[in-house]
Amino acid sequence: MRHFLGAFLLGMATIAVMPTEKVLAGTLTGQPPIVIGHRGASGYRPEHTLEAYKLAIEMGADYIEPDLVATKDGVLVARHENALAILNSDGTINATDTSTDIYLRPEFADRKTTKVIDGRTITGWFTEDLTLAELKTLRAIERIPAIRPGNTAFNGLFEVPTLQEVIDLAKEKSSLLGRTIGIYPETKHPTYFDSIGLSMEEILVSVLNANGYTDETAPVYIQSFEVANLKDLNTLTNVSLVQLLSNSGKPYDFAVSGDSRTYADLATPGGLAEIATYANGIGANKNLIIPRNASGNLLSPTSLVDDAHAAGLLVHAWTFRDENVFLPANLQGNPEEEYRQFYATGIDGLFSDNPDTAFAVRSTLVPEPGAMLGLGIVPLFGWLFRRRK
């Protein structure tokens, strides 16, 4: 378990947080919750593009989140899935899971194939079948155009970025803005990529090391829905690790290994205690923190945030979006109130497609960097909650 220096932490929190209106009680470190640009500012630009990440930073995000998949030649790139375009059973394009224009490119027609990814049969085009040079000829498109038609104006304009390009952007903007911009990569489908000889953990750690991201003081969190690869990463790097928890199902590596535990089991005090042996925090589906009733209305908070904090774990909630289709039934047209209710639970951060909204609401609760020591110091508290190797 982590070494918790409560007295020191509380003293530092008093120095670091001097709110103008009211204190955000209950965060693990005493620092304000971080805003994570979920796939960039994906409410306003096609997700996982440098332009989406740039906009997220401009809107106040403290971290930008690239989901990582691998190319044929072993380069990590930012895509929500390794499937670049997916076909429906009738051969039409899937309009909710397609993020590039590869299906319009005759030169890649022969790359269309059918695979089983984490138990799901998918017909389409995949990153692992293209070299980086080939992938760079593609252009991003809006993944959910029916919900975000305005983003389609940017279809065909932006490349698929590499992890290194995302890091370069974060460092450039940190220098330009005078505040630290962190990265929050997710390893996607690690069991699958291991099975085809493209293990991502070693590649990821190599890139992070080359960029000076080597320990828990680095502005980096690595997240995964699987458990085994986080445990592997715990032996390869000292940067902060986050176990993602869904509100249903189980980690895919558990399904493969025959482990009967589910995400619900991992969210219990006993499960959280185990997570604390290999990770620094949890990334929780927000329904695990404040559930909704059958009508879609928010209920009272669960004990998850308090339970995780008791285990020495940070809690980052996902995913916040401004569109009514994603909002609780009793908060239609009022995304700000959803943020306020979740901030009040003591969460340590949240993932948002609309980082400007997340930033604006946080600004009403705590002073922004410049009036305090700055959110860039949050990773410096990592050594206080060092996971056991």
mmCIF file of all heavy atoms in Angstrom, residues 192-236:
data_model
loop_
_atom_site.group_PDB
_atom_site.id
_atom_site.type_symbol
_atom_site.label_atom_id
_atom_site.label_comp_id
_atom_site.label_asym_id
_atom_site.label_seq_id
_atom_site.Cartn_x
_atom_site.Cartn_y
_atom_site.Cartn_z
ATOM 1 N N TYR A 192 -5.292 -8.157 -26.922
ATOM 2 C CA TYR A 192 -5.316 -8.399 -28.366
ATOM 3 C C TYR A 192 -3.972 -8.056 -29.000
ATOM 4 O O TYR A 192 -3.430 -8.853 -29.785
ATOM 5 C CB TYR A 192 -6.425 -7.580 -29.027
ATOM 6 C CG TYR A 192 -6.317 -7.559 -30.540
ATOM 7 C CD1 TYR A 192 -6.679 -8.673 -31.285
ATOM 8 C CD2 TYR A 192 -5.798 -6.455 -31.212
ATOM 9 C CE1 TYR A 192 -6.557 -8.679 -32.669
ATOM 10 C CE2 TYR A 192 -5.675 -6.448 -32.586
ATOM 11 C CZ TYR A 192 -6.047 -7.563 -33.316
ATOM 12 O OH TYR A 192 -5.900 -7.571 -34.684
ATOM 13 N N PHE A 193 -3.431 -6.888 -28.693
ATOM 14 C CA PHE A 193 -2.164 -6.499 -29.314
ATOM 15 C C PHE A 193 -1.032 -7.435 -28.897
ATOM 16 O O PHE A 193 -0.127 -7.723 -29.694
ATOM 17 C CB PHE A 193 -1.837 -5.038 -29.002
ATOM 18 C CG PHE A 193 -2.506 -4.075 -29.936
ATOM 19 C CD1 PHE A 193 -3.605 -3.331 -29.525
ATOM 20 C CD2 PHE A 193 -2.065 -3.925 -31.240
ATOM 21 C CE1 PHE A 193 -4.241 -2.448 -30.395
ATOM 22 C CE2 PHE A 193 -2.685 -3.055 -32.125
ATOM 23 C CZ PHE A 193 -3.780 -2.310 -31.702
ATOM 24 N N ASP A 194 -1.065 -7.940 -27.669
ATOM 25 C CA ASP A 194 -0.084 -8.956 -27.270
ATOM 26 C C ASP A 194 -0.213 -10.195 -28.158
ATOM 27 O O ASP A 194 0.797 -10.798 -28.556
ATOM 28 C CB ASP A 194 -0.310 -9.364 -25.813
ATOM 29 C CG ASP A 194 0.361 -8.424 -24.825
ATOM 30 O OD1 ASP A 194 1.149 -7.557 -25.257
ATOM 31 O OD2 ASP A 194 0.100 -8.560 -23.620
ATOM 32 N N SER A 195 -1.453 -10.565 -28.470
ATOM 33 C CA SER A 195 -1.691 -11.804 -29.221
ATOM 34 C C SER A 195 -1.174 -11.743 -30.651
ATOM 35 O O SER A 195 -0.949 -12.786 -31.280
ATOM 36 C CB SER A 195 -3.188 -12.131 -29.232
ATOM 37 O OG SER A 195 -3.906 -11.277 -30.122
ATOM 38 N N ILE A 196 -0.988 -10.528 -31.192
ATOM 39 C CA ILE A 196 -0.488 -10.403 -32.565
ATOM 40 C C ILE A 196 0.964 -9.916 -32.602
ATOM 41 O O ILE A 196 1.454 -9.505 -33.650
ATOM 42 C CB ILE A 196 -1.386 -9.471 -33.409
ATOM 43 C CG1 ILE A 196 -1.426 -8.054 -32.830
ATOM 44 C CG2 ILE A 196 -2.795 -10.045 -33.525
ATOM 45 C CD1 ILE A 196 -2.135 -7.051 -33.737
ATOM 46 N N GLY A 197 1.626 -9.972 -31.444
ATOM 47 C CA GLY A 197 3.037 -9.633 -31.395
ATOM 48 C C GLY A 197 3.348 -8.155 -31.415
ATOM 49 O O GLY A 197 4.457 -7.759 -31.786
ATOM 50 N N LEU A 198 2.374 -7.328 -30.991
ATOM 51 C CA LEU A 198 2.586 -5.879 -30.939
ATOM 52 C C LEU A 198 2.330 -5.366 -29.516
ATOM 53 O O LEU A 198 1.533 -4.461 -29.297
ATOM 54 C CB LEU A 198 1.668 -5.155 -31.927
ATOM 55 C CG LEU A 198 2.066 -5.204 -33.396
ATOM 56 C CD1 LEU A 198 0.962 -4.605 -34.272
ATOM 57 C CD2 LEU A 198 3.371 -4.448 -33.637
ATOM 58 N N SER A 199 3.021 -5.968 -28.553
ATOM 59 C CA SER A 199 2.851 -5.566 -27.166
ATOM 60 C C SER A 199 3.137 -4.076 -27.012
ATOM 61 O O SER A 199 4.198 -3.586 -27.398
ATOM 62 C CB SER A 199 3.794 -6.369 -26.267
ATOM 63 O OG SER A 199 3.668 -5.976 -24.923
ATOM 64 N N MET A 200 2.176 -3.348 -26.445
ATOM 65 C CA MET A 200 2.284 -1.889 -26.391
ATOM 66 C C MET A 200 3.038 -1.367 -25.180
ATOM 67 O O MET A 200 3.557 -0.251 -25.200
ATOM 68 C CB MET A 200 0.880 -1.271 -26.409
ATOM 69 C CG MET A 200 0.145 -1.439 -27.721
ATOM 70 S SD MET A 200 -1.359 -0.433 -27.777
ATOM 71 C CE MET A 200 -2.368 -1.305 -26.583
ATOM 72 N N GLU A 201 3.088 -2.159 -24.107
ATOM 73 C CA GLU A 201 3.647 -1.651 -22.862
ATOM 74 C C GLU A 201 5.102 -1.224 -23.015
ATOM 75 O O GLU A 201 5.504 -0.129 -22.577
ATOM 76 C CB GLU A 201 3.516 -2.694 -21.747
ATOM 77 C CG GLU A 201 2.098 -2.964 -21.310
ATOM 78 C CD GLU A 201 1.329 -3.869 -22.261
ATOM 79 O OE1 GLU A 201 1.991 -4.613 -23.021
ATOM 80 O OE2 GLU A 201 0.087 -3.820 -22.266
ATOM 81 N N GLU A 202 5.898 -2.076 -23.636
ATOM 82 C CA GLU A 202 7.323 -1.763 -23.791
ATOM 83 C C GLU A 202 7.535 -0.564 -24.709
ATOM 84 O O GLU A 202 8.408 0.281 -24.448
ATOM 85 C CB GLU A 202 8.074 -2.984 -24.335
ATOM 86 C CG GLU A 202 8.074 -4.198 -23.409
ATOM 87 C CD GLU A 202 6.774 -4.999 -23.459
ATOM 88 O OE1 GLU A 202 5.907 -4.708 -24.309
ATOM 89 O OE2 GLU A 202 6.631 -5.926 -22.644
ATOM 90 N N ILE A 203 6.726 -0.478 -25.772
ATOM 91 C CA ILE A 203 6.843 0.663 -26.685
ATOM 92 C C ILE A 203 6.474 1.950 -25.958
ATOM 93 O O ILE A 203 7.162 2.976 -26.068
ATOM 94 C CB ILE A 203 5.922 0.470 -27.916
ATOM 95 C CG1 ILE A 203 6.236 -0.842 -28.636
ATOM 96 C CG2 ILE A 203 6.069 1.651 -28.874
ATOM 97 C CD1 ILE A 203 5.228 -1.195 -29.732
ATOM 98 N N LEU A 204 5.392 1.905 -25.203
ATOM 99 C CA LEU A 204 4.926 3.083 -24.477
ATOM 100 C C LEU A 204 5.971 3.564 -23.482
ATOM 101 O O LEU A 204 6.297 4.757 -23.428
ATOM 102 C CB LEU A 204 3.614 2.763 -23.761
ATOM 103 C CG LEU A 204 3.054 3.831 -22.817
ATOM 104 C CD1 LEU A 204 2.867 5.164 -23.528
ATOM 105 C CD2 LEU A 204 1.735 3.360 -22.206
ATOM 106 N N VAL A 205 6.506 2.650 -22.688
ATOM 107 C CA VAL A 205 7.494 3.037 -21.681
ATOM 108 C C VAL A 205 8.749 3.595 -22.343
ATOM 109 O O VAL A 205 9.342 4.562 -21.853
ATOM 110 C CB VAL A 205 7.822 1.845 -20.765
ATOM 111 C CG1 VAL A 205 9.010 2.167 -19.854
ATOM 112 C CG2 VAL A 205 6.607 1.464 -19.932
ATOM 113 N N SER A 206 9.140 3.027 -23.474
ATOM 114 C CA SER A 206 10.315 3.526 -24.192
ATOM 115 C C SER A 206 10.108 4.972 -24.630
ATOM 116 O O SER A 206 11.008 5.813 -24.483
ATOM 117 C CB SER A 206 10.610 2.642 -25.404
ATOM 118 O OG SER A 206 11.709 3.154 -26.152
ATOM 119 N N VAL A 207 8.922 5.273 -25.164
ATOM 120 C CA VAL A 207 8.636 6.646 -25.602
ATOM 121 C C VAL A 207 8.611 7.589 -24.402
ATOM 122 O O VAL A 207 9.171 8.690 -24.443
ATOM 123 C CB VAL A 207 7.298 6.700 -26.364
ATOM 124 C CG1 VAL A 207 6.918 8.153 -26.673
ATOM 125 C CG2 VAL A 207 7.383 5.899 -27.661
ATOM 126 N N LEU A 208 7.969 7.175 -23.323
ATOM 127 C CA LEU A 208 7.909 8.028 -22.130
ATOM 128 C C LEU A 208 9.305 8.283 -21.572
ATOM 129 O O LEU A 208 9.653 9.419 -21.227
ATOM 130 C CB LEU A 208 7.021 7.383 -21.071
ATOM 131 C CG LEU A 208 5.537 7.247 -21.407
ATOM 132 C CD1 LEU A 208 4.788 6.555 -20.270
ATOM 133 C CD2 LEU A 208 4.901 8.599 -21.722
ATOM 134 N N ASN A 209 10.109 7.237 -21.480
ATOM 135 C CA ASN A 209 11.474 7.406 -20.967
ATOM 136 C C ASN A 209 12.275 8.375 -21.818
ATOM 137 O O ASN A 209 13.023 9.225 -21.300
ATOM 138 C CB ASN A 209 12.192 6.057 -20.903
ATOM 139 C CG ASN A 209 11.691 5.169 -19.790
ATOM 140 O OD1 ASN A 209 10.991 5.621 -18.878
ATOM 141 N ND2 ASN A 209 12.038 3.898 -19.839
ATOM 142 N N ALA A 210 12.127 8.252 -23.129
ATOM 143 C CA ALA A 210 12.876 9.120 -24.046
ATOM 144 C C ALA A 210 12.489 10.581 -23.877
ATOM 145 O O ALA A 210 13.267 11.481 -24.225
ATOM 146 C CB ALA A 210 12.637 8.678 -25.482
ATOM 147 N N ASN A 211 11.301 10.815 -23.340
ATOM 148 C CA ASN A 211 10.820 12.184 -23.140
ATOM 149 C C ASN A 211 10.962 12.666 -21.703
ATOM 150 O O ASN A 211 10.430 13.715 -21.336
ATOM 151 C CB ASN A 211 9.363 12.287 -23.592
ATOM 152 C CG ASN A 211 9.226 12.304 -25.099
ATOM 153 O OD1 ASN A 211 9.355 13.351 -25.729
ATOM 154 N ND2 ASN A 211 8.985 11.142 -25.694
ATOM 155 N N GLY A 212 11.667 11.880 -20.890
ATOM 156 C CA GLY A 212 11.921 12.281 -19.516
ATOM 157 C C GLY A 212 10.793 12.001 -18.554
ATOM 158 O O GLY A 212 10.803 12.473 -17.419
ATOM 159 N N TYR A 213 9.797 11.209 -18.975
ATOM 160 C CA TYR A 213 8.679 10.842 -18.109
ATOM 161 C C TYR A 213 9.011 9.493 -17.470
ATOM 162 O O TYR A 213 8.751 8.438 -18.053
ATOM 163 C CB TYR A 213 7.382 10.729 -18.898
ATOM 164 C CG TYR A 213 6.911 11.993 -19.581
ATOM 165 C CD1 TYR A 213 6.236 11.942 -20.800
ATOM 166 C CD2 TYR A 213 7.118 13.246 -19.006
ATOM 167 C CE1 TYR A 213 5.775 13.098 -21.423
ATOM 168 C CE2 TYR A 213 6.673 14.409 -19.625
ATOM 169 C CZ TYR A 213 5.998 14.334 -20.828
ATOM 170 O OH TYR A 213 5.552 15.478 -21.445
ATOM 171 N N THR A 214 9.582 9.528 -16.272
ATOM 172 C CA THR A 214 10.122 8.300 -15.698
ATOM 173 C C THR A 214 9.592 7.954 -14.315
ATOM 174 O O THR A 214 9.791 6.828 -13.856
ATOM 175 C CB THR A 214 11.659 8.380 -15.613
ATOM 176 O OG1 THR A 214 12.024 9.501 -14.795
ATOM 177 C CG2 THR A 214 12.279 8.519 -16.997
ATOM 178 N N ASP A 215 8.939 8.886 -13.622
ATOM 179 C CA ASP A 215 8.479 8.575 -12.262
ATOM 180 C C ASP A 215 7.165 9.271 -11.974
ATOM 181 O O ASP A 215 6.583 9.922 -12.843
ATOM 182 C CB ASP A 215 9.548 8.926 -11.225
ATOM 183 C CG ASP A 215 9.921 10.407 -11.235
ATOM 184 O OD1 ASP A 215 9.047 11.252 -11.547
ATOM 185 O OD2 ASP A 215 11.086 10.736 -10.943
ATOM 186 N N GLU A 216 6.706 9.143 -10.736
ATOM 187 C CA GLU A 216 5.374 9.631 -10.369
ATOM 188 C C GLU A 216 5.285 11.149 -10.275
ATOM 189 O O GLU A 216 4.201 11.693 -10.077
ATOM 190 C CB GLU A 216 4.931 8.982 -9.060
ATOM 191 C CG GLU A 216 4.591 7.505 -9.237
ATOM 192 C CD GLU A 216 4.484 6.763 -7.921
ATOM 193 O OE1 GLU A 216 5.390 6.932 -7.071
ATOM 194 O OE2 GLU A 216 3.521 6.012 -7.745
ATOM 195 N N THR A 217 6.414 11.828 -10.396
ATOM 196 C CA THR A 217 6.359 13.295 -10.456
ATOM 197 C C THR A 217 6.118 13.785 -11.873
ATOM 198 O O THR A 217 5.854 14.975 -12.077
ATOM 199 C CB THR A 217 7.656 13.925 -9.927
ATOM 200 O OG1 THR A 217 8.736 13.608 -10.807
ATOM 201 C CG2 THR A 217 7.977 13.431 -8.522
ATOM 202 N N ALA A 218 6.207 12.898 -12.863
ATOM 203 C CA ALA A 218 5.982 13.283 -14.258
ATOM 204 C C ALA A 218 4.500 13.554 -14.489
ATOM 205 O O ALA A 218 3.634 12.894 -13.897
ATOM 206 C CB ALA A 218 6.468 12.188 -15.203
ATOM 207 N N PRO A 219 4.168 14.510 -15.349
ATOM 208 C CA PRO A 219 2.756 14.817 -15.638
ATOM 209 C C PRO A 219 2.155 13.789 -16.592
ATOM 210 O O PRO A 219 1.757 14.096 -17.719
ATOM 211 C CB PRO A 219 2.825 16.213 -16.254
ATOM 212 C CG PRO A 219 4.148 16.234 -16.952
ATOM 213 C CD PRO A 219 5.084 15.426 -16.067
ATOM 214 N N VAL A 220 2.082 12.549 -16.112
ATOM 215 C CA VAL A 220 1.610 11.430 -16.931
ATOM 216 C C VAL A 220 0.767 10.496 -16.065
ATOM 217 O O VAL A 220 1.134 10.183 -14.927
ATOM 218 C CB VAL A 220 2.783 10.626 -17.520
ATOM 219 C CG1 VAL A 220 2.261 9.420 -18.312
ATOM 220 C CG2 VAL A 220 3.672 11.472 -18.400
ATOM 221 N N TYR A 221 -0.356 10.070 -16.607
ATOM 222 C CA TYR A 221 -1.103 8.934 -16.064
ATOM 223 C C TYR A 221 -1.297 7.954 -17.216
ATOM 224 O O TYR A 221 -1.704 8.350 -18.312
ATOM 225 C CB TYR A 221 -2.483 9.354 -15.555
ATOM 226 C CG TYR A 221 -2.488 10.243 -14.344
ATOM 227 C CD1 TYR A 221 -2.640 11.622 -14.483
ATOM 228 C CD2 TYR A 221 -2.379 9.713 -13.055
ATOM 229 C CE1 TYR A 221 -2.678 12.455 -13.357
ATOM 230 C CE2 TYR A 221 -2.410 10.534 -11.937
ATOM 231 C CZ TYR A 221 -2.561 11.910 -12.096
ATOM 232 O OH TYR A 221 -2.599 12.725 -10.991
ATOM 233 N N ILE A 222 -1.023 6.666 -16.973
ATOM 234 C CA ILE A 222 -1.337 5.617 -17.941
ATOM 235 C C ILE A 222 -2.565 4.878 -17.427
ATOM 236 O O ILE A 222 -2.597 4.433 -16.281
ATOM 237 C CB ILE A 222 -0.182 4.621 -18.123
ATOM 238 C CG1 ILE A 222 1.101 5.326 -18.554
ATOM 239 C CG2 ILE A 222 -0.565 3.552 -19.154
ATOM 240 C CD1 ILE A 222 2.305 4.397 -18.615
ATOM 241 N N GLN A 223 -3.559 4.715 -18.283
ATOM 242 C CA GLN A 223 -4.818 4.086 -17.882
ATOM 243 C C GLN A 223 -5.100 2.853 -18.733
ATOM 244 O O GLN A 223 -4.663 2.751 -19.884
ATOM 245 C CB GLN A 223 -5.969 5.083 -18.018
ATOM 246 C CG GLN A 223 -6.079 5.658 -19.430
ATOM 247 C CD GLN A 223 -7.216 6.615 -19.630
ATOM 248 O OE1 GLN A 223 -8.270 6.457 -19.017
ATOM 249 N NE2 GLN A 223 -7.034 7.608 -20.494
ATOM 250 N N SER A 224 -5.853 1.935 -18.159
ATOM 251 C CA SER A 224 -6.262 0.752 -18.910
ATOM 252 C C SER A 224 -7.492 0.137 -18.278
ATOM 253 O O SER A 224 -7.667 0.181 -17.056
ATOM 254 C CB SER A 224 -5.143 -0.294 -18.935
ATOM 255 O OG SER A 224 -5.557 -1.446 -19.664
ATOM 256 N N PHE A 225 -8.356 -0.469 -19.121
ATOM 257 C CA PHE A 225 -9.494 -1.227 -18.632
ATOM 258 C C PHE A 225 -9.076 -2.637 -18.220
ATOM 259 O O PHE A 225 -9.845 -3.335 -17.552
ATOM 260 C CB PHE A 225 -10.588 -1.324 -19.700
ATOM 261 C CG PHE A 225 -11.470 -0.101 -19.766
ATOM 262 C CD1 PHE A 225 -11.331 0.824 -20.783
ATOM 263 C CD2 PHE A 225 -12.455 0.109 -18.812
ATOM 264 C CE1 PHE A 225 -12.142 1.946 -20.852
ATOM 265 C CE2 PHE A 225 -13.277 1.222 -18.876
ATOM 266 C CZ PHE A 225 -13.123 2.150 -19.885
ATOM 267 N N GLU A 226 -7.895 -3.065 -18.641
ATOM 268 C CA GLU A 226 -7.407 -4.372 -18.257
ATOM 269 C C GLU A 226 -6.512 -4.252 -17.028
ATOM 270 O O GLU A 226 -6.059 -3.157 -16.669
ATOM 271 C CB GLU A 226 -6.685 -5.037 -19.428
ATOM 272 C CG GLU A 226 -7.620 -5.330 -20.597
ATOM 273 C CD GLU A 226 -7.000 -6.206 -21.672
ATOM 274 O OE1 GLU A 226 -5.999 -6.906 -21.393
ATOM 275 O OE2 GLU A 226 -7.512 -6.201 -22.812
ATOM 276 N N VAL A 227 -6.251 -5.391 -16.396
ATOM 277 C CA VAL A 227 -5.482 -5.410 -15.153
ATOM 278 C C VAL A 227 -4.064 -5.905 -15.379
ATOM 279 O O VAL A 227 -3.095 -5.304 -14.885
ATOM 280 C CB VAL A 227 -6.198 -6.295 -14.100
ATOM 281 C CG1 VAL A 227 -5.338 -6.456 -12.856
ATOM 282 C CG2 VAL A 227 -7.549 -5.697 -13.736
ATOM 283 N N ALA A 228 -3.908 -6.991 -16.127
ATOM 284 C CA ALA A 228 -2.591 -7.610 -16.278
ATOM 285 C C ALA A 228 -1.573 -6.648 -16.886
ATOM 286 O O ALA A 228 -0.407 -6.627 -16.474
ATOM 287 C CB ALA A 228 -2.695 -8.875 -17.131
ATOM 288 N N ASN A 229 -2.011 -5.828 -17.861
ATOM 289 C CA ASN A 229 -1.028 -4.943 -18.481
ATOM 290 C C ASN A 229 -0.633 -3.809 -17.548
ATOM 291 O O ASN A 229 0.504 -3.326 -17.597
ATOM 292 C CB ASN A 229 -1.521 -4.421 -19.831
ATOM 293 C CG ASN A 229 -2.513 -3.282 -19.727
ATOM 294 O OD1 ASN A 229 -3.514 -3.395 -19.038
ATOM 295 N ND2 ASN A 229 -2.232 -2.199 -20.419
ATOM 296 N N LEU A 230 -1.549 -3.384 -16.657
ATOM 297 C CA LEU A 230 -1.157 -2.388 -15.658
ATOM 298 C C LEU A 230 -0.153 -2.980 -14.670
ATOM 299 O O LEU A 230 0.795 -2.308 -14.248
ATOM 300 C CB LEU A 230 -2.382 -1.870 -14.913
ATOM 301 C CG LEU A 230 -3.236 -0.838 -15.653
ATOM 302 C CD1 LEU A 230 -4.444 -0.457 -14.803
ATOM 303 C CD2 LEU A 230 -2.441 0.415 -16.020
ATOM 304 N N LYS A 231 -0.353 -4.238 -14.317
ATOM 305 C CA LYS A 231 0.608 -4.886 -13.436
ATOM 306 C C LYS A 231 1.962 -5.029 -14.131
ATOM 307 O O LYS A 231 3.020 -4.867 -13.501
ATOM 308 C CB LYS A 231 0.081 -6.253 -12.990
ATOM 309 C CG LYS A 231 -1.094 -6.146 -12.024
ATOM 310 C CD LYS A 231 -1.540 -7.505 -11.509
ATOM 311 C CE LYS A 231 -2.628 -7.359 -10.449
ATOM 312 N NZ LYS A 231 -3.087 -8.654 -9.902
ATOM 313 N N ASP A 232 1.950 -5.311 -15.423
ATOM 314 C CA ASP A 232 3.208 -5.343 -16.189
ATOM 315 C C ASP A 232 3.856 -3.967 -16.196
ATOM 316 O O ASP A 232 5.065 -3.830 -15.984
ATOM 317 C CB ASP A 232 2.947 -5.795 -17.626
ATOM 318 C CG ASP A 232 2.642 -7.275 -17.747
ATOM 319 O OD1 ASP A 232 2.911 -8.014 -16.771
ATOM 320 O OD2 ASP A 232 2.124 -7.696 -18.795
ATOM 321 N N LEU A 233 3.049 -2.938 -16.452
ATOM 322 C CA LEU A 233 3.577 -1.576 -16.477
ATOM 323 C C LEU A 233 4.157 -1.185 -15.118
ATOM 324 O O LEU A 233 5.132 -0.429 -15.048
ATOM 325 C CB LEU A 233 2.481 -0.591 -16.893
ATOM 326 C CG LEU A 233 2.158 -0.571 -18.384
ATOM 327 C CD1 LEU A 233 0.810 0.097 -18.637
ATOM 328 C CD2 LEU A 233 3.265 0.148 -19.162
ATOM 329 N N ASN A 234 3.592 -1.705 -14.052
ATOM 330 C CA ASN A 234 4.085 -1.406 -12.715
ATOM 331 C C ASN A 234 5.510 -1.898 -12.511
ATOM 332 O O ASN A 234 6.240 -1.368 -11.672
ATOM 333 C CB ASN A 234 3.158 -2.031 -11.671
ATOM 334 C CG ASN A 234 3.467 -1.583 -10.267
ATOM 335 O OD1 ASN A 234 3.872 -0.450 -10.037
ATOM 336 N ND2 ASN A 234 3.275 -2.481 -9.307
ATOM 337 N N THR A 235 5.914 -2.896 -13.304
ATOM 338 C CA THR A 235 7.292 -3.389 -13.224
ATOM 339 C C THR A 235 8.222 -2.684 -14.209
ATOM 340 O O THR A 235 9.436 -2.840 -14.127
ATOM 341 C CB THR A 235 7.343 -4.908 -13.512
ATOM 342 O OG1 THR A 235 7.036 -5.151 -14.889
ATOM 343 C CG2 THR A 235 6.363 -5.668 -12.630
ATOM 344 N N LEU A 236 7.648 -1.922 -15.132
ATOM 345 C CA LEU A 236 8.433 -1.297 -16.193
ATOM 346 C C LEU A 236 8.652 0.195 -15.995
ATOM 347 O O LEU A 236 9.590 0.766 -16.565
ATOM 348 C CB LEU A 236 7.740 -1.512 -17.549
ATOM 349 C CG LEU A 236 7.575 -2.948 -18.039
ATOM 350 C CD1 LEU A 236 6.724 -2.968 -19.306
ATOM 351 C CD2 LEU A 236 8.928 -3.595 -18.292
#
